[in-house]
Amino acid sequence: MPSKSVVVGSAVGLHARPAAIIAEAAGDLDSDVYLAVPGDDPVDAASALMIMTLGAEKGATVEVSGDNEADVDAIAALVEKDLDA
């Protein structure tokens, strides 16, 4: 399973707006993608609510994983961007 560690780029962390943008993008993919913070179970990246439960603030490391490497890279790129700007 491909995975990639990235740093949260949004100034507000993975809260409402960034989580919604990531969840919408993940929901449009053909494969499942998951997000996790170190030490916690992964959550479905297609669920904004589940993303917000991670409590990932700006600068936190998040592990992005899934079955398709291109999909993992696409979601990882969103996690790294400041989506609240």
Side-chain angles (χ1 to χ4, degrees):
M1 178 179 282
S3 67
K4 185 174 190 174
S5 289
V6 294
V7 175
V8 175
S10 289
V12 296
L14 296 183
H15 293 290
R17 186 165 189 263
I21 292 168
I22 293 167
E24 183 177 350
D28 290 341
L29 300 174
D30 292 329
S31 69
D32 293 331
V33 178
Y34 301 94
L35 302 178
V37 293
D40 284 346
D41 291 331
V43 300
D44 185 355
S47 169
L49 181 60
M50 294 306 294
I51 292 172
M52 289 187 289
T53 67
L54 293 173
E57 300 292 332
K58 180 175 175 61
T61 300
V62 174
E63 186 75 18
V64 184
S65 61
D67 295 327
N68 181 297
E69 189 165 357
D71 291 348
V72 168
D73 288 343
I75 298 303
L78 287 175
V79 172
E80 291 178 311
K81 286 177 94 174
D82 185 356
L83 299 174
D84 206 49

